[in-house]
Amino acid sequence: MSSHDHHTQGHGSGAHHELSFWRHYVFSTDHKVIGVQYGITALCFLFLGFCLMMMMRWQLAYPGQPMPVIGKFFGEAAMPGGIMLPEFYNSLGAMHGTIMVFLGVVPLLVGAFGNYVMPLQIGAPDMAFPKLNMASYWVFAVGGIVMLVSFFVPGGAANSGWTSYAPLSVIATMGQTLWLIGMVFLITSSLLGSVNFIVTIIQLRAKGLSMFRLPFFVWAQLVTAFLLLLAFPPLEAAGVMQLMDRVAGTSFFMPEGLVVSGVPSTVAGGGSPLLWQHLFWFLAHPEVYVLILPALGIVAEIIANNTRKPLWGYRPMVYSAIFLGFMSFIVWAHHMFMTGMGPTISTFFATTTMIISIPSVIILTALVISLYRASIRFTVPMLFALAFLPMFAIGGLTGLPLGLPASDIPLHDTYYVIGHFHYVVAPGTIFGIFAGIYYWYPKVTGRKMNDVLGKIHFWLSFVFINMVFGPMFVQGLAGVSRRLYSQVGYAHGEAVQSWTITSSWGAWLLGLAQIFFIVNFFMSMRAGKKVSDNPWEATTLEWAAPSPPPHGNFTTPPVVYRPPYEYSVPGLAKDYFPQHAAAEA
């Protein structure tokens, strides 16, 4: 008997055992419950991070004016009358970036979609290590709570940017210490999860499910897990070292001879601020692909399903994802051209940065060609998936000048960088997330979300999200620096202030557009249209399980007979051909 059979039997025998409320919904070891826990928690953090950004946009659009309604609640973070202080603005910027990336997008794409969908797509009864899975969620939750607590300590939350550059971060207020402790918890959570994902995908695949019969979403999760496993430990070590610099008087990142507020620093030991940058970006560039690869996986599933044809270039897409993961570890210093690393090393990192754009273009091109001569179903998930393609393309193309020293140096730390990065992770990744929520919602709840509300949500989001980030390229090319508390004190900033106001109004209208999603999300749980186990007529294994799936997922262990996207096979009564069904005569 194989280990897979043991695993299946174990789950089968335990399926009838009644669990207490706490074991079933709170400290659950079921990958589906943990996926939902990750999803709800991360959506709440995304909403919080978005709110912080909307507050920043008020300060940028109308500097020196009291913030309406909530300004009076700022307390020590504001001047009399509710005008935001620069220190508070810096905290909003640092925490917005941290919350959106580490507490929002990654937990959603990996923790929620990965946990819920991946075991179902490979025909597994659960994750390989269910208790480790539970631990990964609760370590993540503790890290999130620590981050939130930092808003209420003296001096406020971390205010040294989401990159936490030394030496500024070493001499910052107490919130920075909590930021570092929170990051250690979040990194530990990702490491626990990544080990679990790798073992599950390699060991618990259903009979007949070879590696090249895996859906592209599973491949994306596998590469992402390796990125997390290899890239996060250097940052965890760096976080502990920076914590020691702050609380134990070490000098890993603190240079000698620093003068702080007119007082010479007493630190000895000759620490290197550049060492922090190297350790941070060694994680943070692979982190970009941790954000984008699962989103590409979601989009690939939805495009195959709604074009009713196999993905064009499935194998090149898989090889590209693997190559992308490998290359992401040797491009990190293109964030550091300003540090004076010399022309030889700069040329190396510029070259690898140009090379890493090739696999991204291959995957994007394959998805676009998959649309050619297809009978496309314009469902709500498909609308978000289609919008993802040009948004990610804009993000990628605008990143190329930032990979070359000659063009990066004048653009460095301007709004152009914010525009580029956010086109990848906001209209890009976030649209992938929305596509996935609308697509797999019936699997989780047994009900479909409302189509009319979904389409209103899509079109408003599509218009307003471009209204937010499009103007940033104009501001950046005008030379406006990022992280400015107010840009109207500068001639070049005043010249493009109208674009700043446009961007801010786009952000607030984008916030209002999400009301349609929130209403739809909760209303559909009770009033949504009940659907069959396979409402999209998809071919992948998760749709072979009941909706919602029971403990153990499948009533009988599935056996796989063919690749994942066998749509429109001649001679079949229907235009889909499930992986688990034997060929029809």
Side-chain angles (χ1 to χ4, degrees):
M1 185 184 290
S2 69
S3 61
H4 182 270
D5 295 330
H6 276 297
H7 203 99
T8 308
Q9 282 196 351
H11 275 272
S13 60
H16 305 293
H17 177 63
E18 281 297 322
L19 297 171
S20 69
F21 173 85
W22 287 95
R23 283 299 311 279
H24 194 282
Y25 293 107
V26 183
F27 298 108
S28 175
T29 54
D30 188 320
H31 74 96
K32 299 179 292 297
V33 176
I34 294 169
V36 171
Q37 287 176 324
Y38 262 116
I40 298 298
T41 309
L43 283 171
C44 291
F45 276 118
L46 269 186
F47 179 72
L48 171 62
F50 189 80
C51 290
L52 300 184
M53 181 272 286
M54 290 196 288
M55 290 159 64
M56 295 169 69
R57 295 306 320 178
W58 174 267
Q59 168 58 32
L60 291 169
Y62 305 109
Q65 295 187 31
M67 185 171 289
V69 184
I70 61 172
K72 58 189 175 185
F73 299 113
F74 285 169
E76 295 179 0
M79 305 175 202
I83 300 170
M84 189 185 299
L85 285 171
E87 293 82 2
F88 183 51
Y89 177 84
N90 285 343
S91 285
L92 292 177
M95 296 306 289
H96 163 73
T98 305
I99 288 170
M100 292 303 247
V101 172
F102 295 108
L103 289 163
V105 175
V106 174
L108 256 176
L109 286 171
V110 181
F113 287 116
N115 253 311
Y116 200 102
V117 177
M118 182 273 289
L120 289 168
Q121 284 201 331
I122 66 173
D126 206 315
M127 296 289 274
F129 307 116
K131 289 184 178 177
L132 201 67
N133 206 18
M134 177 185 73
S136 77
Y137 171 75
W138 282 105
V139 173
F140 156 72
V142 170
I145 291 166
V146 171
M147 288 284 187
L148 291 182
V149 167
S150 69
F151 280 102
F152 304 101
V153 298
N159 54 15
S160 305
W162 81 282
T163 56
S164 188
Y165 273 10
L168 178 64
S169 54
V170 179
I171 60 174
T173 54
M174 182 183 170
Q176 189 69 34
T177 302
L178 291 176
W179 186 92
L180 291 163
I181 294 169
M183 283 301 295
V184 168
F185 276 101
L186 297 176
I187 293 168
T188 303
S189 166
S190 289
L191 293 176
L192 295 175
S194 60
V195 170
N196 213 350
F197 273 57
I198 292 165
V199 175
T200 302
I201 293 169
I202 291 173
Q203 294 286 5
L204 294 187
R205 301 190 308 279
K207 184 178 179 183
L209 188 58
S210 63
M211 292 300 283
F212 280 100
R213 284 180 174 177
L214 289 175
F216 184 69
F217 175 79
V218 178
W219 272 109
Q221 291 287 343
L222 181 61
V223 175
T224 299
F226 273 107
L227 294 183
L228 290 170
L229 186 66
L230 298 173
F232 255 138
L235 185 64
E236 185 152 28
V240 172
M241 287 193 286
Q242 191 177 108
L243 198 58
M244 292 299 100
D245 278 8
R246 289 183 55 83
V247 301
T250 58
S251 58
F252 292 107
F253 308 118
M254 279 293 280
E256 292 182 64
L258 201 65
V259 177
V260 181
S261 302
V263 180
S265 169
T266 58
V267 168
S272 169
L274 279 184
L275 176 60
W276 170 266
Q277 290 195 34
H278 280 291
L279 291 169
F280 180 85
W281 288 115
F282 188 78
L283 156 88
H285 201 85
E287 181 76 9
V288 173
Y289 299 102
V290 168
L291 302 176
I292 206 66
L293 272 172
L296 283 167
I298 292 169
V299 168
E301 298 298 306
I302 292 167
I303 285 178
N305 178 257
N306 287 281
T307 55
R308 318 306 293 163
K309 54 190 278 198
L311 282 178
W312 189 90
Y314 166 81
R315 280 187 178 244
M317 286 175 69
V318 170
Y319 293 135
S320 295
I322 296 168
F323 183 62
L324 194 71
F326 170 76
M327 288 298 295
S328 70
F329 286 100
I330 50 173
V331 298
W332 80 89
H334 67 215
H335 297 270
M336 299 172 58
F337 288 138
M338 295 287 280
T339 61
M341 64 178 74
T344 305
I345 295 297
S346 293
T347 302
F348 170 80
F349 283 107
T351 304
T352 55
T353 302
M354 294 303 108
I355 291 170
I356 202 174
S357 65
I358 296 170
S360 302
V361 170
I362 290 172
I363 294 172
L364 202 61
T365 304
L367 292 173
V368 172
I369 294 176
S370 296
L371 303 173
Y372 178 64
R373 301 190 70 179
S375 180
I376 299 173
R377 303 190 303 196
F378 290 101
T379 60
V380 177
M382 188 60 168
L383 290 174
F384 277 104
L386 289 173
F388 169 92
L389 300 176
M391 298 296 95
F392 177 55
I394 291 170
L397 288 171
T398 54
L400 291 176
L402 299 175
L404 301 169
S407 47
D408 174 72
I409 287 170
L411 291 171
H412 187 83
D413 256 353
T414 66
Y415 267 89
Y416 182 93
V417 179
I418 301 183
H420 148 68
F421 177 68
H422 282 78
Y423 259 98
V424 174
V425 298
T429 300
I430 300 292
F431 276 14
I433 287 170
F434 280 133
I437 291 172
Y438 282 102
Y439 183 64
W440 280 301
Y441 191 91
K443 180 53 55 182
V444 180
T445 64
R447 297 174 184 269
K448 262 178 97 170
M449 292 176 76
N450 183 279
D451 270 357
V452 174
L453 288 176
K455 287 177 179 176
I456 294 170
H457 172 226
F458 166 74
W459 285 110
L460 292 178
S461 295
F462 183 73
V463 171
F464 295 139
I465 209 162
N466 283 287
M467 189 173 161
V468 178
F469 300 113
M472 290 184 181
F473 294 122
V474 179
Q475 294 171 276
L477 292 169
V480 178
S481 297
R482 63 193 297 195
R483 301 192 183 94
L484 280 180
Y485 170 66
S486 169
Q487 65 190 48
V488 296
Y490 304 87
H492 64 293
E494 286 184 5
V496 292
Q497 180 65 8
S498 59
W499 287 107
T500 304
I501 294 170
T502 301
S503 185
S504 292
W505 276 98
W508 300 325
L509 292 169
L510 180 64
L512 289 175
Q514 305 318 303
I515 293 171
F516 292 96
F517 170 74
I518 295 167
V519 169
N520 196 356
F521 187 85
F522 289 106
M523 184 185 76
S524 298
M525 287 182 187
R526 288 186 173 274
K529 177 186 172 187
K530 289 188 176 180
V531 292
S532 66
D533 292 342
N534 189 2
W536 307 112
E537 295 188 321
T539 54
T540 45
L541 275 187
E542 76 269 31
W543 302 103
S547 300
H551 189 64
N553 296 340
F554 298 92
T555 48
T556 56
V559 178
V560 171
Y561 295 95
R562 60 189 58 83
Y565 308 115
E566 293 293 304
Y567 290 99
S568 305
V569 176
L572 287 178
K574 294 186 175 181
D575 75 339
Y576 70 100
F577 198 14
Q579 277 188 289
H580 65 287
E584 295 180 20

